[in-house]
Amino acid sequence: MGPAPVNRVQLSARVTREPELRYLPTGVPLARLSLEFEREVRRPNGMLERVPGHVGAVVTGPAALEAHEKLRKGGQVYVEGQLQSHAAAGADGIVRGPVEIRVEELKIVSPGPGPEPELPLDAPQQG
């Protein structure tokens, strides 16, 4: 027998768009996050270069509400969880589909920039 399978992800990433919130038929909140991370790649000349990557993440329960309420595009998060895929076999028989992180632990490192403050209609214009 081979080693037991391991499916564990730890990732620090930047949120690339506003979290999307919906509710499952059971009433459980679910938030989808779009994340950007960096990895180092050694080029043929020996130099290290940081290369961005992107992955989706799914958060459920109270953490989904927290993500939706507090996170903004540009925020920083730390997530732990497992990879999951909703893959399907294509006409060629090869199974393909996006891979995402099913988040079990979410830590908001930085919520991201807040919305621009709105000026009252009667505020004096600067310029």
Side-chain angles (χ1 to χ4, degrees):
M1 289 186 92
V6 176
N7 181 357
R8 195 82 196 135
V9 176
Q10 296 176 304
L11 184 69
S12 294
R14 184 176 65 85
V15 178
T16 61
R17 67 174 180 248
E18 303 296 312
E20 300 170 13
L21 181 69
R22 68 182 184 92
Y23 288 84
L24 299 173
T26 59
V28 174
L30 179 142
R32 291 197 173 278
L33 306 177
S34 178
L35 304 176
E36 180 180 84
F37 59 91
E38 291 185 343
R39 63 187 182 97
E40 289 186 338
V41 175
R42 187 166 303 277
R43 296 297 177 195
N45 64 6
M47 299 294 293
L48 283 177
E49 181 180 341
R50 289 187 177 199
V51 177
H54 297 86
V55 66
V58 176
V59 186
T60 57
L65 294 174
E66 179 183 25
H68 183 257
E69 291 170 6
K70 295 182 180 177
L71 275 175
R72 298 290 168 257
K73 179 179 177 180
Q76 299 283 329
V77 295
Y78 169 81
V79 296
E80 288 186 23
Q82 296 184 9
L83 293 178
Q84 68 181 15
S85 175
H86 303 286
D92 57 5
I94 297 176
V95 177
R96 293 184 185 89
V99 174
E100 61 190 6
I101 300 170
R102 182 170 44 89
V103 176
E104 296 166 357
E105 182 177 343
L106 170 73
K107 291 183 182 172
I108 298 174
V109 177
S110 167
E116 291 291 320
E118 291 186 29
L119 294 175
L121 293 176
D122 59 350
Q125 298 294 321
Q126 293 187 2

